[in-house]
Amino acid sequence: MSYSSRCCFLFIVLVPVLLLSCTDKKTEEAIQLEKALIFAGDNRVELEKVLYHYNQCVADSLKYKAAHFLIRNMPDYYSYYSPENDSIKDLYQAVAQKKMSEDVAIEVAQKKFVPFLERNQKVIYDSHVITASYLIRNIDHAFGMWEKQPWGKYIKFEDFCEYILPYRVAFEPLSEWRETYAEAAEQILDSLFIGSDVLQAYKLINENIIMKPDWFFTIRTSSVGLFDMSAEYMWNNRIGNCWNRTYFTTYLLRSIGIPCGVDYLKQAPKSATNHCWSFIVDTTGLTCDFEGGDHRMPIRDRFVTFYELKGKIYRKMFASQKLQLEEVNQEKGIPFSLSDKHEKDVSGEYFPNERIAVRCENIPKRTNIAYLCLFNNSEWIPVDWAEIKDDTARFEHMDWRNIVYLVGYYKEGRIIPAAPPILTTEMAKHTISARPNMQKKNKMRLERKYTEAPIIIFLRDLLLDGRFQGSNSPDFKNTIDMHVITQRPPGSYLTVKLDTVYKFRYVRFLARDGIRSDISEVEFYSPSDSVNPLKGIPMGNPPVDGDNSHRMEMAFDGDPLTCYASANLNNAWVGLDFGKKTEINKIRFAPRGDDNSVREGDEYELKYLSMDGWVSLGRQTARTYFLEFSGGPDKALYLLSNLTRGREERPFTYENDTQVSVSYTHLRAHETV
């Protein structure tokens, strides 16, 4: 049947009628559309062309609704443009094509482009520039795929509008992407796919497109102002962080009519970061989570992305969502982290049963809202809210796996505690209140300011049985052991004063057989009270995989965030040639790590959290790899800050004379909330 024959009659409409719903009464959506058309200014005519195009025929009634959906939500969307941003993208294109290292790209960008980036950056609103032909192509393609695919008949129109129809995902520059992505995906499905299971379709697409070629994963693009890249750019370059890769996956699946979207956490429970991943709506209406480019496939009995602590989970929506918080909040001030009109709390899909009730203390006047917060290394970030009723705030659907939460009030742009911090315990399924006991004080020995991941402990253990040796022969004949590492070293520098004064031209660190020589810093001193390490010419095995970032010089550069890693697994070593016999009185070394252990010479401050905020227990300069503080109240939540360097710090408790990370360790019950 031809297009014209399907059109039983024409709707003869004037432009003002386009602003109305099918009745004479303006609905909320019609009012929203009218505002969007007014916002478009001179470009209003392009948007009206789209509405008129689909309002000519009854058969296009759903496309008209789809156009209505896109246009009425369009004023909130925009992208950024500057010549400098284009230049930075060119640099990263060279990185993706392995024509330039990322270090060089960042150095060039920061010198030549970043200083001018913000000054020359322009905001380009979709409503002001988008063309009718662009929108019509997007709508027609989306509908074509929806109608074509075997799973399409199971997809509700509402899900189609949110998870297939949108022409953009975030705030990336607009580009023509549907045809390019769809052509590649269809080639895979046409040759390999049978049936209507969208998860199986994704599996084939992931294995044959997303994972090939390898994604150049980096979190450093933000350091040069490179955030949301266009769909076209990512297709050509396959580079970026978890957000970029998730957007890439979203484009790809939506281009062939698979309902797909982005779930994310605003604030990670154990770091200063956020994170995102993908989901697919399957033929039963169930959303299945996954990470594009990862070998773990989406499954219906959940959860693929559960390996990471999450706190609260939100979903990126194209349509503007009602901010209920605005309606019920008496003071009207809303934290920035909860002000996004295009997100939906979907924590209930991941954590259907978890809930807590918290009794609020010292409730300020005209305050009826309490916020559930996570720590971001410097402040508490609201991730959920609840009305206070009978002095109690009830929160639902949060991650329960050994996470510290704070319930607080939002006053003058900051969070004030409403109750002691809450520590959730996965195994016991109860909460612990970290209320400081001022009647009992602890003497505390502290070695770190940030959660120690298992990999850091593993890297420390790599040095066990390692030997610091000296010789007067370059092939290390007649070698003498100056020091052997017999127990797990601390995460920071360890100083070893030698009982014997040695005199060697050649010195080295030799790893035990069967592992690489993998160490961050190696230093030799004379005399023992010297603060300047001896200088020499680096020597040893070549770096693993020929990687210059792990070359032997890295063991002597004074930077504990760089490291040497040998290619050899046996007789693996790195050392120095002093040029002549040299007296050695002291050795100082550091394992490979994150530089968050206590570092000799740095100044630190210890604080605990009270109902009035953080309270200082004093400052001191570290004399070795640990600190000792007195007067710390029992059952409190603590924070150790390095005032000399670094930004990463995480709350912890102090139990049984031990510093306990609340992100990795099950906690003993002090008292339940």
Side-chain angles (χ1 to χ4, degrees):
M1 183 180 295
S2 68
Y3 180 85
S4 58
S5 64
R6 287 188 295 112
C7 297
C8 301
F9 56 89
L10 294 176
F11 288 103
I12 308 300
V13 292
L14 299 175
V15 168
V17 179
L18 291 174
L19 307 181
L20 303 179
S21 67
C22 56
T23 68
D24 290 337
K25 182 180 178 182
K26 287 189 175 182
T27 65
E28 182 178 345
E29 290 181 354
I31 293 171
Q32 193 179 1
L33 176 65
E34 184 173 6
K35 289 180 178 179
L37 292 173
I38 292 171
F39 181 79
D42 293 341
N43 200 50
R44 174 177 182 147
V45 64
E46 291 294 312
L47 304 183
E48 289 175 339
K49 284 180 185 178
V50 178
L51 295 170
Y52 183 81
H53 176 78
Y54 291 122
N55 205 26
Q56 298 301 298
C57 178
V58 171
D60 283 338
S61 60
L62 270 187
K63 289 186 178 181
Y64 176 80
K65 288 182 180 179
H68 197 294
F69 172 84
L70 292 176
I71 292 171
R72 70 174 183 263
N73 288 292
M74 194 177 292
D76 292 334
Y77 290 99
Y78 53 85
S79 59
Y80 293 101
Y81 172 76
S82 72
E84 290 78 13
N85 194 260
D86 280 351
S87 297
I88 294 170
K89 288 179 182 177
D90 289 343
L91 290 172
Y92 264 91
Q93 185 172 28
V95 173
Q97 296 172 355
K98 299 182 179 179
K99 296 178 180 179
M100 178 184 294
S101 72
E102 188 177 20
D103 288 338
V104 171
I106 290 176
E107 183 180 0
V108 173
Q110 289 178 338
K111 286 182 179 179
K112 295 183 64 176
F113 306 122
V114 173
F116 311 102
L117 187 62
E118 187 172 345
R119 184 180 69 187
N120 296 329
Q121 197 158 250
K122 296 179 181 179
V123 176
I124 303 174
Y125 284 94
D126 294 1
S127 299
H128 297 165
V129 299
I130 207 163
T131 64
S133 60
Y134 177 87
L135 265 186
I136 290 170
R137 283 195 300 273
N138 271 272
I139 293 170
D140 286 349
H141 191 282
F143 269 86
M145 286 296 173
W146 184 26
E147 295 165 356
K148 173 183 178 180
Q149 301 297 1
W151 55 79
K153 60 185 176 183
Y154 301 104
I155 301 171
K156 296 184 295 185
F157 180 68
E158 293 76 10
D159 287 341
F160 166 80
C161 286
E162 278 290 354
Y163 308 133
I164 296 176
L165 175 67
Y167 57 89
R168 65 156 64 251
V169 179
F171 298 98
E172 68 276 20
L174 298 180
S175 64
E176 299 278 1
W177 56 273
R178 286 192 183 270
E179 293 287 348
T180 301
Y181 281 75
E183 182 179 354
E186 285 195 295
Q187 286 180 1
I188 300 301
L189 296 186
D190 288 346
S191 60
L192 299 174
F193 180 70
I194 299 175
S196 61
D197 187 346
V198 291
L199 301 192
Q200 181 62 26
Y202 163 71
K203 181 177 184 295
L204 294 171
I205 291 170
N206 185 57
E207 291 173 350
N208 292 278
I209 299 179
I210 303 176
M211 297 180 73
K212 297 179 180 180
D214 291 339
W215 185 275
F216 185 95
F217 194 89
T218 174
I219 61 173
R220 300 171 68 189
T221 52
S222 59
S223 68
V224 291
L226 191 57
F227 296 100
D228 298 338
M229 295 170 270
S230 74
E232 181 182 19
Y233 182 89
M234 284 194 287
W235 179 262
N236 293 327
N237 297 291
R238 316 286 177 94
I239 192 169
N241 57 22
C242 63
W243 293 90
N244 304 125
R245 189 167 62 182
T246 301
Y247 295 167
F248 177 87
T249 301
T250 303
Y251 298 132
L252 189 54
L253 299 188
R254 287 182 178 178
S255 75
I256 54 166
I258 295 180
C260 172
V262 180
D263 282 354
Y264 60 95
L265 50 92
K266 300 169 181 288
Q267 174 58 53
K270 64 178 182 180
S271 68
T273 61
N274 52 40
H275 185 52
C276 70
W277 57 96
S278 301
F279 69 86
I280 285 174
V281 182
D282 80 348
T283 53
T284 68
L286 179 70
T287 55
C288 306
D289 66 315
F290 66 97
E291 295 198 16
D294 189 279
H295 67 278
R296 292 179 289 255
M297 291 295 104
I299 51 178
R300 290 182 171 84
D301 54 353
R302 313 272 265 262
F303 285 99
V304 175
T305 62
F306 224 49
Y307 63 90
E308 182 178 46
L309 300 183
K310 288 182 163 48
K312 293 287 291 186
I313 300 172
Y314 288 82
R315 180 163 296 163
K316 188 175 287 293
M317 307 295 285
F318 189 85
S320 179
Q321 310 293 300
K322 280 189 176 181
L323 281 179
Q324 189 180 358
L325 178 56
E326 282 186 334
E327 299 175 1
V328 300
N329 184 14
Q330 293 179 0
E331 289 209 346
K332 304 304 179 186
I334 294 179
F336 176 77
S337 60
L338 295 175
S339 64
D340 190 343
K341 295 188 299 182
H342 291 274
E343 67 182 12
K344 178 182 178 182
D345 185 347
V346 293
S347 305
E349 295 186 16
Y350 292 80
F351 312 109
N353 302 314
E354 287 73 7
R355 54 179 55 87
I356 54 174
V358 179
R359 183 167 294 279
C360 299
E361 305 175 20
N362 305 321
I363 303 174
K365 290 182 179 180
R366 296 184 64 250
T367 297
N368 68 320
I369 302 295
Y371 296 92
L372 188 71
C373 307
L374 291 167
F375 196 66
N376 79 339
N377 287 359
S378 61
E379 59 184 333
W380 295 98
I381 304 298
V383 294
D384 196 10
W385 63 275
E387 288 190 80
I388 303 171
K389 297 180 179 179
D390 298 327
D391 294 345
T392 300
R394 290 176 168 81
F395 300 91
E396 296 183 326
H397 312 310
M398 72 287 297
D399 196 343
W400 199 271
R401 296 171 293 167
N402 309 321
I403 295 173
V404 56
Y405 293 100
L406 179 72
V407 174
Y409 313 115
Y410 184 68
K411 295 292 178 183
E412 298 178 354
R414 67 188 186 94
I415 291 295
I416 300 171
I422 298 166
L423 313 178
T424 61
T425 58
E426 181 180 15
M427 298 302 292
K429 281 295 182 183
H430 62 222
T431 58
I432 300 165
S433 174
R435 184 186 294 274
N437 179 2
M438 305 306 295
Q439 305 305 312
K440 181 180 179 181
K441 303 293 180 68
N442 295 313
K443 183 177 181 181
M444 306 169 67
R445 171 173 162 151
L446 309 176
E447 295 188 12
R448 284 185 64 84
K449 65 184 180 71
Y450 191 79
T451 302
E452 186 171 43
I455 185 62
I456 302 298
I457 299 174
F458 170 78
L459 291 170
R460 290 164 61 189
D461 285 343
L462 286 182
L463 301 188
L464 285 171
D465 297 325
R467 298 169 181 270
F468 294 92
Q469 298 179 326
S471 176
N472 288 308
S473 174
D475 57 6
F476 282 88
K477 289 182 178 178
N478 303 317
T479 299
I480 294 177
D481 290 339
M482 294 182 284
H483 176 70
V484 179
I485 302 173
T486 58
Q487 59 185 3
R488 177 188 291 164
S492 186
Y493 285 93
L494 181 65
T495 299
V496 179
K497 291 187 178 180
L498 302 176
D499 295 330
T500 301
V501 177
Y502 295 97
K503 201 167 186 179
F504 296 117
R505 174 174 173 173
Y506 305 99
V507 292
R508 71 178 181 181
F509 168 74
L510 174 69
R512 69 177 184 269
D513 279 348
I515 65 168
R516 291 187 175 88
S517 181
D518 199 327
I519 193 166
S520 177
E521 293 300 313
V522 180
E523 298 172 350
F524 300 90
Y525 291 84
S526 180
S528 60
D529 59 355
S530 173
V531 295
N532 297 312
L534 297 168
K535 301 297 182 182
I537 299 173
M539 55 193 302
N541 304 145
V544 60
D545 297 328
D547 186 352
N548 279 334
S549 66
H550 293 320
R551 65 190 184 277
M552 60 188 71
E553 286 82 1
M554 299 293 101
F556 310 104
D557 64 355
D559 184 354
L561 288 175
T562 64
C563 69
Y564 165 74
S566 68
N568 292 27
L569 293 177
N570 291 299
N571 194 35
W573 62 274
V574 64
L576 292 172
D577 174 2
F578 294 135
K580 62 180 181 180
K581 289 184 179 180
T582 301
E583 191 175 274
I584 302 165
N585 306 86
K586 181 175 71 175
I587 299 170
R588 187 170 178 255
F589 68 95
R592 186 176 177 181
D594 57 3
D595 199 26
N596 284 314
S597 295
V598 170
R599 187 167 169 181
E600 182 181 346
D602 286 1
E603 185 181 10
Y604 292 85
E605 181 178 22
L606 179 65
K607 296 170 281 189
Y608 71 90
L609 189 62
S610 75
M611 291 297 292
D612 296 318
W614 293 106
V615 178
S616 177
L617 287 171
R619 301 181 177 188
Q620 60 176 270
T621 299
R623 296 183 177 181
T624 183
Y625 62 88
F626 62 88
L627 301 160
E628 290 185 332
F629 283 88
S630 298
D634 194 32
K635 301 182 180 179
L637 189 71
Y638 292 96
L639 191 69
L640 182 65
S641 301
N642 187 327
L643 305 179
T644 304
R645 75 186 82 236
R647 295 173 297 175
E648 293 184 325
E649 50 196 43
R650 300 302 299 166
F652 60 90
T653 60
Y654 199 79
E655 307 172 33
N656 300 323
D657 299 322
T658 303
Q659 184 178 0
V660 180
S661 163
V662 296
S663 292
Y664 284 110
T665 308
H666 297 302
L667 304 163
R668 65 178 173 84
H670 294 313
E671 55 186 277
T672 58
V673 176

